[in-house]
């Protein structure tokens, strides 16, 4: 991918230099964009990143990207487990988390729960969905504090962890809602720290075999974070799918324009726990 982006960048520079030599005019280069029509093209592309036009003084960015003002709220949890405690931790989660998921008393659902296979080792990742947004989250947290079994689970879990962190997320309007799926699958969580609060288009290039599970952006926690969740049969299927994207017209352009927006990116390959609805 990096080679293709650099080639495209180099071609833009060469074209700009040739134009300057033939006309005798001075051309100012900024990141490979050299003429007003090229800048207009970029401006047009950036405008297409948004779902709809909006007055930024009247509408929050989150309302622009998510499905509606009453969209689901998601919580993603990252637990770094003591290596010697990982099996006991998994068993504890498998005994406790499904009971909350299946109890209609709590307006929340377990979307998925995994162990990291490649990436940060001895790590568990959990994702919850709260239908009704922040009020549902508040209700669940209040009820769980009164649940003696859950509080005992938290106490036992705390003895097994090295660290933990979480984020509250909203889902992108152009991704499907994550739904349970049969396995076996491996899952890739790709996380991006963006320089600006925009999210790229082009999810359609990767939808041919239903690999896309969900797309989310942070509301609380590390901000300007984007998470993409993908499902593949195995690592070979992942490689084939990613390589196939380059055969679609326009994919190289999408990569060319989105790479400068990314400050940092991270990928985890995860294996579902037995209790995960996403298998």
């Amino acid at each position: 991918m990096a080679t293709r982006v650099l080639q495209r960048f180099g071609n833009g520079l060469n074209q700009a230099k040739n134009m300057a030599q033939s006309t005798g005019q001075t051309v100012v280069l900024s990141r490979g964009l050299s003429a007003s029509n090229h800048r207009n093209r970029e401006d047009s592309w950036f405008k297409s990143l948004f779902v709809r036009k909006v007055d930024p003084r009247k509408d929050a960015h989150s309302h622009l990207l998510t499905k509606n003002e009453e969209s689901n709220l998601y919580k993603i949890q990252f637990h770094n487990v003591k290596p010697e405690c990982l099996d006991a931790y998994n068993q504890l989660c498998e005994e406790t988390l499904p009971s909350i998921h299946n109890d209609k008393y709590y307006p929340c659902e377990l979307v998925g729960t995994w162990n990291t296979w490649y990436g940060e080792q001895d790590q568990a990742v959990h994702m919850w969905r709260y239908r009704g947004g922040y009020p549902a989250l508040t209700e669940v947290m209040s009820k769980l504090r009164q649940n003696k079994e859950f509080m005992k689970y938290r106490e036992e879990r705390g003895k097994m962890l090295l660290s933990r962190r979480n984020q509250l997320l909203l889902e992108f309007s152009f991704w499907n809602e994550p739904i349970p799926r049969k396995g076996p699958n491996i899952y890739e969580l790709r996380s991006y720290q963006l320089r600006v609060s925009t999210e790229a288009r082009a999810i359609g290039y990767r939808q041919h075999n239903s690999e896309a599970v969900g797309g989310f952006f942070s509301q609380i926690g590390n901000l300007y974070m984007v998470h993409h969740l993908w499902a593949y049969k195995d690592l070979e299927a992942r490689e084939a799918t990613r390589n196939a994207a380059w055969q679609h017209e326009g994919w190289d352009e999408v990569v060319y324009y989105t790479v400068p927006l990314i400050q940092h990116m991270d990928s985890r390959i995860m294996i579902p726990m037995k209790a995960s609805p996403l298998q």
Side-chain angles (χ1 to χ4, degrees):
M1 180 182 75
T3 301
R4 293 175 184 264
V5 173
L6 289 174
Q7 287 175 342
R8 187 177 181 89
F9 182 76
N11 291 338
L13 286 175
N14 290 333
Q15 292 174 2
K17 289 178 181 178
N18 292 336
M19 182 183 299
Q21 292 170 357
S22 62
T23 61
Q25 297 175 346
T26 300
V27 180
V28 179
L29 299 179
S30 176
R31 298 182 182 272
L33 301 179
S34 59
S36 60
N37 63 333
H38 203 111
R39 288 193 297 271
N40 290 338
R41 180 185 177 193
E42 184 190 20
D43 292 341
S44 177
W45 186 87
F46 272 107
K47 290 178 182 178
S48 72
L49 296 179
F50 300 100
V51 179
R52 56 185 171 86
K53 292 183 179 180
V54 64
D55 183 346
R57 297 168 298 179
K58 297 180 181 179
D59 206 345
H61 180 69
S62 59
H63 293 171
L64 180 71
L65 295 174
T66 195
K67 293 177 180 179
N68 55 62
E69 295 182 358
E70 298 179 354
S71 290
N72 300 319
L73 182 69
Y74 292 81
K75 178 169 68 176
I76 189 168
Q77 300 170 302
F78 299 94
H79 291 173
N80 293 316
V81 185
K82 296 176 182 178
E84 67 274 15
C85 297
L86 187 59
D87 289 340
Y89 171 90
N90 287 345
Q91 181 176 353
L92 183 65
C93 290
E94 290 165 2
E95 292 172 352
T96 306
L97 301 187
S99 63
I100 300 172
H101 170 77
N102 295 322
D103 193 338
K104 301 302 181 182
Y105 180 67
Y106 302 102
C108 66
E109 304 164 10
L110 182 63
V111 176
T113 178
W114 304 268
N115 288 129
T116 300
W117 185 21
Y118 289 104
E120 294 190 48
Q121 296 295 285
D122 305 313
Q123 184 182 72
V125 180
H126 311 289
M127 180 175 283
W128 294 87
R129 175 168 49 225
Y130 300 88
R131 297 194 182 276
Y134 290 107
L137 172 66
T138 301
E139 179 182 348
V140 170
M141 294 298 100
S142 177
K143 289 179 176 179
L144 286 178
R145 282 193 290 268
Q146 308 303 318
N147 185 325
K148 294 182 179 180
E149 292 185 3
F150 178 78
M151 297 307 292
K152 183 179 179 180
Y153 153 78
R154 286 194 59 179
E155 181 179 357
E156 291 299 315
R157 184 191 68 184
K159 301 174 184 178
M160 304 177 185
L161 298 182
L162 294 171
S163 64
R164 59 192 178 99
R165 62 185 176 90
N166 59 25
Q167 285 181 311
L168 294 181
L169 313 170
L170 295 178
E171 56 189 337
F172 282 113
S173 60
F174 44 85
W175 283 72
N176 294 327
E177 180 179 295
I179 59 174
R181 63 172 65 197
K182 297 180 179 179
N185 294 294
I186 62 172
Y187 288 81
E188 181 179 17
L189 180 65
R190 298 180 68 86
S191 302
Y192 303 87
Q193 181 78 54
L194 301 184
R195 295 184 185 277
V196 293
S197 53
T198 55
E199 161 65 354
R201 56 183 169 88
I203 192 63
Y205 291 106
R206 300 283 304 281
Q207 288 278 25
H208 298 289
N209 296 316
S210 300
E211 299 93 352
V213 178
F216 315 91
F217 60 97
S218 61
Q219 281 287 284
I220 296 178
N222 291 340
L223 297 180
Y224 298 136
M225 285 288 297
V226 168
H227 300 284
H228 294 170
L229 184 61
W230 306 89
Y232 305 99
K233 291 300 181 183
D234 48 40
L235 290 175
E236 290 79 9
R238 172 187 178 273
E239 181 180 17
T241 299
R242 294 182 60 80
N243 289 339
W246 288 100
Q247 308 305 316
H248 296 287
E249 182 179 358
W251 177 251
D252 58 341
E253 181 179 1
V254 168
V255 173
Y256 174 78
Y257 281 112
T258 55
V259 165
L261 303 180
I262 300 172
Q263 185 176 24
H264 173 77
M265 61 185 296
D266 186 62
S267 172
R268 291 174 174 83
I269 301 297
M270 307 184 301
I271 304 299
M273 295 186 192
K274 293 180 181 179
S276 178
L278 288 171
Q279 286 293 319

